[in-house]
Amino acid sequence: MHDALIVVVLLLVAAAATGAVLQRDPARQAVVLSALGLTLAVLFTVLQAPDVGLAQLAVGSAVTPLMILLTVRKVRRKGRRE
Amino acid sequence: MDRLLPLIVVVPLLGAAVLVAAGRHVPRPVAEAVAGLAAAASAALAAAALAGPPEVSWVGAWRPQDGHSVGIVLVGDRIGLGLAALTSLLVVAVLAYSWRYFDEPPHGHGGAFPALVLLFQGGMCGFALTGDLFDAFVFFELMGVVGYALTGYRVEEARPVQGALVFGFVNSLGGYATLLGIGLLYARTGELGMAQVGRELDQAADAAGHGADALVVAAFVLVLTGLLVKAAAVPFHFWLPDAHAVAPTPVCMLLSGVMVEMGGYGAARVWTTVFGGPGGVPAAGARRTLLVLGVGSALVGALMCWQQRHVKRLLAFSTVAHTGLFLTGIALLTPHGVAGTALYVLGHAGAKAALFACTGILLDRHGSVDECELHGKGRGIPFTGLLFAAGGLALAGLPPFGTSLGKALVEERSPWLPALFVLVSAVTGGAVLRVAARVFLGAGQAGREDDEGPETTGGEEEPETGRRVRRPPVPMVTVAALLLAGALAVGTVPALTGAVSAAAEAFTDHAGYAAAVLDGRPAGRPEGPYDWWTWTGAGLGLLSAALAVALAARSVGLESRAVPWSAPLRRLHSGHVGDYVAWTVAGIGLVSLLALW
Amino acid sequence: MSLLPYLIAGWVFLVGVHGIATSRNLIHAVGCLAVTQSSTYVLLLAVGYRKGATAPVFSDLPVDAPVVDPVVQALALTDVVVGATVTALLLALVVQTAKRHGTVDPDELSELKG
Amino acid sequence: MTRRLRLWVLTAGLLATAALYVAACTDLPAFGGSWHPYGDRAVRAALQQHTANAVSSVNFDQRAFDTLGEETVLFSSVLGTVVLLRRTRGEKRVAPGPAEVPAALRRYGLLVLPVTLLIGLYVIAHGQLSPGGGFQGGVVVATSLHLLYIAVDYKALERIRPLGLFELADGTGEAAYILLGAAGLIAGSAYLANTLPLGTFNTLSSGGTVPLLNAAVGVEVTSAVVVLLAHFLGQALEIESEDGAKDGGREA
């Protein structure tokens, strides 16, 4: 049962990673990255690594996408005003 | 003394923390004095440790029991410690050079530049001293992160941000490959210390009755990838000229003088301690890998160096060429090869840093680092010109510079090596001498725009001193002169060669390293007889220097520096992140082929 | 099953590298670098996993309970921090690139070549 | 290099790397095996040091030097970001106006903020006992403060975020970690040695220097993330070029 769960979450991670690469629009990519962070956090929890899962949840699905979105906003704002 | 080894790493870090915490309230001269003190204290600690017997320091007092520990070890072997000392001394020189540098430090962060330099120092010293693979990765990343920030420091200009970005992508990617390799090694051996992993690999091979399997080879290739990116070996080298051409001059002195060499050191260290035993990769495969990449870098670097007009970029390509020679020396895998390379690195650090220092003076005086634009403009500063030419001769291998002695010790090991070493030294030294003749003597023609291929010009650069200087500032010239004097001392003090030769014996001893780290049997060796100058070595040095002068003299009169058949090679240096990343993975493939064959 | 986690780590690494090399937008490329790095967490934790064991936290466990390897978890934690910091610095450089070059398309950056 | 050539080089490299890696995987020990020599030693050492969370014991005691490096990487990248995202010549700060926030969102945000903050502080404080610690808690605390930006507006966030203070705390956290390490030297043992009394297993004060180093990391991470996000927010919301048309650059 546990093994099957691990397999499912692993496949989700691979899918999210592939999706994050294929999504070429950076703002949408940030959302997919956030989802990748979430699936990784679940994977780590399933692999009995709650410490890492917690860190991944805070960084991978919150701080990193937030920084990407702020960068997108800055770059777009500049582009609009030109 | 062994307990104090970690202080070499943490004293600069503490200095940086203090500078940031007090940043808003400390006047600039105080901040710069604090930075200088921290850097000098670390240099003094490294020198004191070098004076004592070789020791190891288990951080947190987690000493090994039955050859196993849960802690991290710092290893005070002569080569690593010597590299830490070189780094610290160079940082002191750089801080002196950049005294009152940059008129506009970031608002409210007057100490930001010296703080970053101290963090860079801490990262490099940590990398040189650690005996743990994962700890080495952490310090690798520290060097990287600080390196990107320092490279992009002049954000007002277009090029620095592009160069720093390329540097960041390629180096980070290399670092992650290294980490994957470390993960594979951990899965196989259940250890992270270099000595422990090496021992476990040997025991596993003993038990299985055969040598390296695919896992060990893959780990070797992946771990080496990050280190070769740092060492800028072809085809991992593309980031280096882009980063070095745009970084502030004092940062270039550190990047070219020691950081790139750290990559070569790391490769040699990992090879001898982890993969050098019966359980590691076959010596033939490893040797072939470093030799092919080393020779390739030397030739590509020299060819590209010759064709540059952007002086910093020219010096950057000469670093690629010389690092290629270092890798070739390491590939010999003998104490002689390592000793020669170590001396070569010492001499090169002094000469290359001095050359960048002189280029910085030109930049601050004329707002340009372009060979054609600067034609004849250096006539008023003959002493700087003299130093620049001396640096060129040192690169060309003129005895008795340390570069020449190191080159001589390596090339005597094989019949075909002298040809490569003489050629590369003559071309890179000749390119520098050509610039010296044109800029400081006004010789020949100014040269012209190049129609043969893409190129980077060096005009319209912002002086780093805020406004242009008329006379070269005394600290800058003094630092350049002292650095060259250091390069000269490396080749003329016999005691140094003796110490380096003994250190190289210990460095290449796979089992001896593990015994020193894990069983507490320091590999202190009496200094035996060692090689020094020979007539052949000095003669080959004179030959390459004479060839360099001849090349320079012949080319000052020519209009174009371009070598037409190399245009496709020049186009490959495109400044494109995607291209460089593609070459990096292709490099992983190439290294695996070479290691397996 | 016994190899799947390792292979997934490899897939994530390669797909991330492919993304960086073919990216037309530097912000997207930084995101792909973050993907590449997540492969290292997956590999490390997969290497340290032990079937039927629990997390290495002994607050409410008997001290002889089987637990998974805590060392790789410490390494992965360090790795997470390193990844976030590299992302931050590269994004800062992308912001400045957009200002100085007026574009974030790597194909249009042409200041350094030859 | 043309896109076509790049794709060829890339594909060749990826295929070779994949082949190498897959071959290595077949030699790896099977997933979930029970052979973890370093892990087993680390668990024994953690229990011997009265640290219930073995991961914290590895992070702040056995391999505390790694964590020093990691904190320094974070510290450096914050300093680097401050330098890279500084306001340059030809740029000015424009205060963004107050934002209209739906009342429901405001109530929700203001309710969640203190809860998240408390969770973060709890996670920091219990680092040696339960999953989490200075790093995870620090990120949560720093992120929770930014809920104020979502719930109210940027001005409100700026009021509770005196940057100078957070920069001071950033440097202080880093310095505290380094000096706590030196305490081991002064006590006559090695750098970063755990020389304090180990306390009673499974209590807040157990683990010797572990809770102290954990707290130093908590302070550093909280302030580092706050400063980091502040500079990205500043670029995205406040900093504009002075001529209003272009941001400095080559033309300026």
Side-chain angles (χ1 to χ4, degrees):
Chain A
M1 181 57 212
H2 197 72
D3 278 3
L5 183 63
I6 294 179
V7 170
V8 169
V9 182
L10 275 171
L11 293 176
L12 279 177
V13 166
T18 314
V21 168
L22 293 181
Q23 179 50 262
R24 302 266 156 181
D25 176 62
R28 290 191 193 142
Q29 190 203 24
V31 179
V32 185
L33 275 177
S34 189
L36 172 64
L38 202 66
T39 50
L40 280 171
V42 173
L43 174 69
F44 299 162
T45 313
V46 174
L47 291 180
Q48 300 296 335
D51 276 275
V52 191
L54 203 55
Q56 179 61 30
L57 194 66
V59 172
S61 54
V63 176
T64 302
L66 180 59
M67 287 191 299
I68 292 183
L69 285 176
L70 287 171
T71 308
V72 171
R73 177 163 175 168
K74 172 72 182 174
V75 170
R76 293 237 170 106
R77 196 169 67 129
K78 224 197 73 56
R80 242 199 345 268
R81 282 148 37 82
E82 261 174 356
Chain B
M1 185 60 218
D2 65 313
R3 294 191 302 137
L4 300 185
L5 274 183
L7 292 186
I8 298 173
V9 183
V10 298
V11 165
L13 303 184
L14 183 63
V18 169
L19 284 182
V20 168
R24 299 205 169 198
H25 312 286
V26 173
R28 210 169 149 203
V30 178
E32 284 173 357
V34 168
L37 267 179
S42 165
L45 279 166
L50 269 176
E55 305 200 49
V56 299
S57 172
W58 289 89
V59 183
W62 291 100
R63 283 183 198 82
Q65 290 163 344
D66 308 326
H68 296 290
S69 167
V70 291
I72 291 170
V73 65
L74 297 187
V75 184
D77 86 298
R78 311 291 78 177
I79 299 275
L81 208 45
L83 209 50
L86 172 70
T87 306
S88 298
L89 283 176
L90 208 55
V91 166
V92 174
V94 160
L95 286 171
Y97 179 85
S98 46
W99 183 261
R100 309 298 299 153
Y101 215 61
F102 298 118
D103 251 12
E104 286 183 69
H107 180 69
H109 299 88
F113 181 74
L116 280 171
V117 172
L118 286 180
L119 291 167
F120 204 31
Q121 179 188 9
M124 290 193 282
C125 288
F127 184 79
L129 292 180
T130 189
D132 185 280
L133 282 171
F134 188 78
D135 201 43
F137 166 76
V138 172
F139 283 111
F140 178 98
E141 288 292 330
L142 178 56
M143 277 195 273
V145 162
V146 184
Y148 319 148
L150 280 172
T151 303
Y153 188 86
R154 295 183 297 160
V155 286
E156 284 97 344
E157 292 177 58
R159 284 177 185 168
V161 288
Q162 187 189 345
L165 205 56
V166 166
F167 182 13
F169 270 108
V170 178
N171 259 264
S172 306
L173 186 60
Y176 302 152
T178 297
L179 187 53
L180 280 184
I182 295 172
L184 293 180
L185 282 176
Y186 184 79
R188 164 59 57 87
T189 64
E191 293 286 355
L192 289 168
M194 296 180 195
Q196 293 96 311
V197 174
R199 229 179 224 186
E200 293 292 330
L201 284 180
D202 295 349
Q203 281 167 9
D206 243 13
H210 59 79
D213 54 9
L215 184 141
V216 176
V217 174
F220 175 73
V221 172
L222 289 171
V223 170
L224 217 58
T225 298
L227 300 167
L228 290 174
V229 167
K230 202 59 114 188
V234 168
F236 303 105
H237 72 289
F238 291 93
W239 63 271
L240 184 141
D242 290 359
H244 283 44
V246 299
T249 312
V251 178
C252 290
M253 293 161 72
L254 289 174
L255 289 176
S256 255
V258 281
M259 192 201 78
V260 173
E261 286 73 6
M262 285 288 170
Y265 161 79
R269 167 116 282 168
V270 168
W271 181 8
T272 54
T273 60
V274 177
F275 297 100
V281 289
R287 176 172 298 151
R288 189 166 44 230
T289 308
L290 287 190
L291 206 57
V292 170
L293 264 58
V295 172
S297 312
L299 295 176
V300 168
L303 186 59
M304 292 297 295
C305 169
W306 179 257
Q307 303 181 70
Q308 300 301 316
R309 58 186 282 186
H310 186 295
V311 180
K312 278 162 114 179
R313 201 169 162 88
L314 182 149
L315 293 175
F317 274 114
S318 102
T319 298
V320 174
H322 284 269
T323 318
L325 295 183
F326 300 156
L327 289 178
T328 311
I330 294 168
L332 298 177
L333 249 201
T334 58
H336 286 106
V338 171
T341 307
L343 289 169
Y344 206 161
V345 167
L346 287 174
H348 174 265
K352 187 57 65 65
L355 282 169
F356 271 115
C358 294
T359 313
I361 294 173
L362 287 173
L363 171 59
D364 296 336
R365 199 162 176 259
H366 303 287
S368 170
V369 286
D370 190 274
E371 180 185 342
C372 305
E373 278 186 27
L374 285 170
H375 186 251
K377 295 229 171 86
R379 283 201 193 96
I381 43 173
F383 187 60
T384 309
L386 203 66
L387 292 176
F388 195 85
L393 287 170
L395 281 194
L398 179 75
F401 279 107
T403 42
S404 180
L405 178 58
K407 166 172 160 295
L409 291 186
V410 178
E411 67 194 355
E412 281 170 23
R413 296 297 135 197
S414 161
W416 58 272
L417 280 180
L420 174 77
F421 276 63
V422 167
L423 174 73
V424 170
S425 305
V427 172
T428 53
V432 173
L433 289 174
R434 182 193 74 207
V435 173
R438 280 192 176 148
V439 172
F440 294 98
L441 298 176
Q445 305 192 6
R448 63 171 167 80
E449 292 286 328
D450 179 1
D451 314 321
E452 306 291 346
E455 71 175 349
T456 303
T457 61
E460 291 172 30
E461 298 251 340
E462 290 277 325
E464 292 162 352
T465 37
R467 56 191 143 59
R468 294 189 181 188
V469 297
R470 288 224 339 274
R471 306 239 30 93
V474 177
M476 294 191 180
V477 184
T478 316
V479 165
L482 284 176
L483 287 168
L484 275 172
L488 209 55
V490 173
T492 47
V493 180
L496 186 65
T497 308
V500 167
S501 300
E505 289 271 355
F507 185 85
T508 46
D509 183 353
H510 173 73
Y513 177 85
V517 172
L518 298 176
D519 311 332
R521 288 202 302 271
R525 288 157 194 262
E527 283 183 24
Y530 55 88
D531 295 341
W532 211 40
W533 287 104
T534 59
W535 286 110
T536 333
L540 284 171
L542 283 173
L543 173 68
S544 62
L547 273 175
V549 173
L551 274 173
R554 165 140 169 64
S555 65
V556 280
L558 299 177
E559 273 202 335
S560 172
R561 305 159 307 281
V563 181
W565 51 265
S566 73
L569 180 66
R570 295 184 70 180
R571 268 196 290 280
L572 290 185
H573 295 79
S574 56
H576 192 295
V577 172
D579 287 358
Y580 294 2
V581 166
W583 283 113
T584 305
V585 278
I588 300 181
L590 175 67
V591 172
S592 5
L593 277 182
L594 288 169
L596 280 171
W597 201 294
Chain C
M1 175 63 198
S2 70
L3 289 187
L4 184 71
Y6 309 134
L7 295 177
I8 296 277
W11 171 257
V12 174
F13 183 84
L14 295 175
V15 84
V17 170
H18 184 274
I20 308 171
T22 56
S23 181
R24 298 294 302 270
N25 182 318
L26 287 169
I27 306 177
H28 171 261
V30 175
C32 292
L33 189 68
V35 171
T36 307
Q37 199 192 9
S38 49
S39 70
T40 57
Y41 320 147
V42 176
L43 178 69
L44 283 173
L45 291 179
V47 162
Y49 184 65
R50 183 195 303 240
K51 260 189 196 137
T54 47
V57 180
F58 289 93
S59 313
D60 37 0
L61 271 184
V63 293
D64 54 351
V67 291
V68 300
D69 189 340
V71 177
V72 289
Q73 301 197 8
L75 305 188
L77 256 179
T78 301
D79 196 16
V80 170
V81 183
V82 167
T85 60
V86 169
T87 308
L89 263 184
L90 289 180
L91 285 175
L93 285 165
V94 172
V95 166
Q96 296 295 0
T97 305
K99 287 190 209 168
R100 304 303 158 214
H101 296 259
T103 176
V104 287
D105 184 348
D107 290 345
E108 290 174 24
L109 302 180
S110 54
E111 287 276 328
L112 296 163
K113 55 188 189 306
Chain D
M1 205 150 81
T2 59
R3 291 185 74 80
R4 206 185 157 78
L5 180 58
R6 186 191 319 146
L7 214 56
W8 277 111
V9 172
L10 177 71
T11 311
L14 287 177
L15 285 176
T17 311
L20 179 79
Y21 184 83
V22 171
C25 283
T26 57
D27 287 336
L28 277 173
F31 174 70
S34 59
W35 182 77
H36 299 283
Y38 196 164
D40 294 343
R41 286 200 307 277
V43 166
R44 278 199 299 279
L47 294 173
Q48 177 201 320
Q49 297 285 69
H50 298 198
T51 311
N53 182 353
V55 181
S56 289
S57 176
V58 176
N59 261 328
F60 297 112
D61 191 350
Q62 305 172 34
R63 296 181 65 90
F65 202 61
D66 268 353
T67 307
L68 171 60
E70 169 208 318
E71 288 319 298
T72 311
V73 170
L74 179 60
F75 177 75
S76 306
S77 86
V78 170
L79 182 59
T81 311
V82 169
V83 167
L84 293 177
L85 292 183
R86 65 182 183 260
R87 189 164 56 89
T88 52
R89 264 171 291 162
E91 287 181 340
K92 61 180 181 203
R93 274 187 194 280
V94 182
E100 287 292 314
V101 181
L105 181 63
R106 173 168 303 200
R107 269 199 303 277
Y108 175 73
L110 291 179
L111 190 74
V112 170
L113 193 156
V115 177
T116 331
L117 193 67
L118 277 178
I119 293 177
L121 291 173
Y122 179 91
V123 170
I124 297 183
H126 289 73
Q128 76 273 29
L129 302 179
S130 56
F135 179 71
Q136 297 92 332
V139 179
V140 173
V141 170
T143 322
S144 74
L145 295 182
H146 289 82
L147 284 174
L148 207 56
Y149 165 54
I150 297 171
V152 189
D153 61 8
Y154 189 62
K155 265 218 155 61
L157 173 64
E158 274 188 317
R159 263 201 295 280
I160 59 149
R161 192 200 62 185
L163 261 193
L165 217 59
F166 277 103
E167 275 166 12
L168 179 71
D170 181 36
T172 311
E174 168 82 6
Y177 198 106
I178 296 171
L179 294 174
L180 277 169
L185 269 184
I186 295 164
S189 185
Y191 190 77
L192 277 171
N194 192 344
T195 47
L196 285 181
L198 295 172
T200 314
F201 185 77
N202 217 358
T203 59
L204 264 187
S205 61
S206 61
T209 48
V210 169
L212 294 178
L213 291 172
N214 182 34
V217 167
V219 171
E220 217 252 277
V221 171
T222 307
S223 28
V225 175
V226 167
V227 176
L228 207 62
L229 288 179
H231 280 84
F232 275 97
L233 280 167
Q235 283 287 342
L237 304 175
E238 284 188 291
I239 291 182
E240 284 184 4
S241 63
E242 245 156 25
D243 53 13
K246 256 196 158 45
D247 274 298
R250 279 172 291 184
E251 287 79 6

